[in-house]
Amino acid sequence: MANCEWHEFASSEALARNLSETVAKKLALAVKERGHAAIAVSGGRTPAQFFDQLSRCDIPWDKVTVTLVDERFVPADSPRSNARLVARHLLQNKAARAAFVGLYQPADEMEEAASQSAKAIAALPRPLDVVVLGMGNDRHTASFFPDAPTIEALLEPTEGPDVLPVASKAAGEPRLTLSMNRLAGARFLAVHIEGADKKETLETALSVPPGPASPIGAVLAETKEPAHIFWAPAGQA
Ligand SMILES: O=C(O)[C@H](O)[C@@H](O)[C@H](O)[C@H](O)COP(=O)(O)O
């Protein structure tokens, strides 16, 4: 059963301020203890305000590497690109000094892109210091979509590539996702969700057995440390 700590806020703004301060402290501590820090963040509509707040935190960003928990198989200039979202909202202000390692690679097939991307991610510190997940109302997180033909393998915490390709009709386009090990092994794992619908979805997801019907539940059941759920009522439009 997942071991989670809920942090509830009255507004998206209060959540963004607290989550950014919490993550900034974790990154600064990692740099102090190990000389570097690595964080993997999610895309989608939810994280922009959190990114904007985090970008203003005064930490040694030149010792921090930012990557993604998943990416749509689209180039960085696509409006669907998570790398584009991170560039516009997180790699700004003080955080502009951070290094970025994206998941997208220009390849004909997503399998080849995943293989190339896995080599780049393998060079990052293990474990990652911070992972911030989102969640869809189908209980997916990262690109662990319940309808993906490979969902069972994606949820297995087996040794293997750090980046995997995902085909899923629900995803809207082919995806590249960090592996279960890379996500669940993080020193600090947060789930950032907003809106009453997502709170209900997550509560239900945690009450059913982890697995393809509840990918978020599978990740939270796999984490070594208790996961931190950050929730505010003001959902996305
Ligand atoms: O590429 C993505 O879309 C994300 O990484 C994905 O896992 C996201 O966190 C959820 O789909 C929630 O997305 P929203 O924040 O848009 O609801």
Side-chain angles (χ1 to χ4, degrees), residues 119-139:
K119 294 189 185 86
I121 299 299
L124 296 185
R126 193 179 297 273
L128 293 169
D129 295 290
V130 176
V131 164
V132 183
L133 296 176
M135 184 198 70
N137 276 319
D138 61 353
R139 306 177 187 165

Side-chain angles (χ1 to χ4, degrees), residues 70-194:
D70 70 339
E71 178 63 282
R72 296 81 182 271
F73 186 44
V74 295
D77 60 359
S78 162
R80 292 282 299 159
S81 164
N82 288 338
R84 180 174 182 266
L85 177 80
V86 167
R88 290 158 70 105
H89 290 278
L90 179 50
L91 303 178
Q92 299 287 333
N93 306 313
K94 296 194 188 298
R97 292 183 294 130
F100 178 68
V101 178
L103 301 189
Y104 174 77
Q105 301 287 343
D108 292 339
E109 304 296 333
M110 65 172 182
E111 290 78 4
E112 175 53 28
S115 170
Q116 291 173 22
S117 186
K119 294 189 185 86
I121 299 299
L124 296 185
R126 193 179 297 273
L128 293 169
D129 295 290
V130 176
V131 164
V132 183
L133 296 176
M135 184 198 70
N137 276 319
D138 61 353
R139 306 177 187 165
H140 86 265
T141 191
S143 283
F144 298 163
F145 285 88
D147 73 343
T150 57
I151 186 62
E152 304 243 352
L154 286 167
L155 297 182
E156 280 301 314
T158 48
E159 290 310 311
D162 284 334
V163 180
L164 296 153
V166 182
S168 153
K169 288 191 176 55
E173 65 275 283
R175 297 290 188 101
L176 301 167
T177 193
L178 286 195
S179 67
M180 171 62 91
N181 276 353
R182 268 300 195 169
L183 297 176
R187 285 192 168 88
F188 177 79
L189 187 138
V191 178
H192 175 193
I193 55 172
E194 296 189 10

